[in-house]
Amino acid sequence: MEGKLYIVGTPIGNLEDMTLRGLRILKAVDCIAAEDTRHTVKLLNHFEIKKHLIAYHQHNEQSESDKLIALLKAGKEIALVSDAGMPVISDPGAVIIGRCAEANIPVEVVPGPNAGLCALVLSALDAGSFTFMGFLGKQSKEIRAGIEKIAASKDTVILYETPHRLVKTLEAMAQVIPERPMSISREITKRYEETRRGTVAEHLAYYQEHPPKGEFVLVIAGGDGRTAAAEDLTELSLETHLAHYLSEGMTEKEAMKQVARDRGVSKREIYNQIKR
């Protein structure tokens, strides 16, 4: 008989958040695939669990998935855990889950804490419809592209950010949506948990004066799809507006789509005016 893969959520800080079901599964499986075995062994030691650990992270998940599938086909039961929270959410796991689906190997999820959802609840912003974007990236181009999506979103947006990149990200956001309401939570469930609420510009001013410490979740309110920057651009001629986005490295197709979004018209209308 084939085994089963368990996707097990683990605490994001406070070990008391480990579920009884999660503990039962970790004790019962044959082995545990962990994002960082050094981190997971601390969790297991706390609950006096002794298990064989297999390193499974973003740099080896393709190759290790083959080994895990072989074990599962041999009837072994495996628990997949990340360093904290739910596997797959900005963490490894999608590859092995996909391989299990292809091979018709059973997969069962064991829910646990998630920093993004906890921060959304703490934010006091609209949680009826939201978008999770994870980390925007390290490069300026990636950050800029992500912020353009946030600026155009009518839904609340959830981001993760590291302390050494937080100010850079806030500086880029302040250039586009300085007055957009936003909540920033850090160290959720840990001793120094904190949630601050204000505008993007207010958060930037605060963290420029107070060096960021800990892991951060940013929750940004949805807008009307237009920004101050976009409104300024619409005062320009259509050709100059288009040239602005072309100069930022967009293709002509991407630039026309963004111009149409800024002006609240269809892309076809922009195309017809530009090409006539």
Side-chain angles (χ1 to χ4, degrees):
M1 292 182 62
E2 292 180 334
K4 179 185 286 188
L5 177 70
Y6 293 90
I7 308 164
V8 182
T10 57
I12 57 177
N14 192 323
L15 294 180
E16 292 181 3
D17 293 333
M18 188 69 206
T19 68
L20 294 175
R21 181 179 169 212
L23 288 174
R24 177 174 61 80
I25 295 297
L26 293 180
K27 291 176 181 178
V29 294
D30 296 290
C31 60
I32 298 172
E35 183 181 5
D36 187 333
T37 56
R38 297 167 301 180
H39 186 93
T40 298
V41 77
K42 295 177 183 178
L43 174 70
L44 298 182
N45 286 342
H46 180 82
F47 292 107
E48 299 181 345
I49 299 173
K50 302 293 182 182
K51 286 293 169 181
H52 174 60
L53 295 175
I54 299 173
Y56 185 85
H57 46 76
Q58 62 176 338
H59 302 297
N60 75 352
E61 59 179 326
Q62 292 289 345
S63 59
E64 287 302 309
S65 289
D66 293 335
K67 299 177 183 178
L68 295 180
I69 289 294
L71 290 172
L72 290 162
K73 286 185 174 180
K76 301 297 183 182
E77 293 196 328
I78 301 173
L80 173 69
V81 301
S82 60
D83 286 352
M86 286 299 298
V88 184
I89 308 300
S90 285
D91 278 323
V95 174
I96 183 61
I97 295 169
R99 293 287 303 278
C100 286
E102 292 171 359
N104 292 317
I105 295 172
V107 178
E108 186 174 313
V109 66
V110 183
N114 174 267
L117 293 181
C118 289
L120 176 62
V121 171
L122 289 166
S123 72
L125 298 173
D126 180 22
S129 180
F130 61 90
T131 299
F132 175 74
M133 293 180 61
F135 292 94
L136 291 183
K138 299 179 180 179
Q139 305 301 319
S140 296
K141 185 176 181 180
E142 294 174 320
I143 294 173
R144 184 172 65 247
I147 290 172
E148 287 176 356
K149 291 181 180 179
I150 294 169
S153 177
K154 295 182 180 180
D155 295 333
T156 302
V157 175
I158 303 170
L159 301 179
Y160 289 161
E161 195 51 275
T162 60
H164 65 276
R165 292 205 304 262
L166 179 65
V167 171
K168 180 180 179 180
T169 298
L170 291 175
E171 287 174 341
M173 292 176 65
Q175 293 177 7
V176 182
I177 48 173
E179 300 306 315
R180 186 74 64 88
M182 178 170 69
S183 167
I184 297 183
S185 295
R186 72 180 188 94
E187 299 292 272
I188 296 175
T189 78
K190 300 178 183 178
R191 180 178 180 182
Y192 297 107
E193 176 179 331
E194 176 186 47
T195 294
R196 301 185 62 83
R197 303 175 185 86
T199 66
V200 171
E202 288 169 344
H203 284 298
L204 173 59
Y206 177 82
Y207 284 108
Q208 285 176 330
E209 294 294 326
H210 302 82
K213 296 179 181 179
E215 298 301 316
F216 292 83
V217 185
L218 285 59
V219 183
I220 306 102
D224 60 4
R226 292 171 61 83
T227 67
E231 290 171 2
D232 290 342
L233 288 170
T234 58
E235 299 299 321
L236 303 173
S237 69
L238 190 58
E239 291 74 13
T240 304
H241 192 169
L242 182 69
H244 167 78
Y245 289 119
L246 292 173
S247 69
E248 291 190 341
M250 289 188 183
T251 65
E252 185 178 51
K253 182 178 180 180
E254 292 170 336
M256 284 194 288
K257 184 176 181 179
Q258 185 59 52
V259 169
R261 185 182 296 120
D262 291 348
R263 293 174 178 251
V265 299
S266 69
K267 188 175 71 173
R268 178 174 293 278
E269 183 175 337
I270 298 298
Y271 178 87
N272 290 337
Q273 291 187 55
I274 292 292
K275 298 299 182 179
R276 67 184 178 186

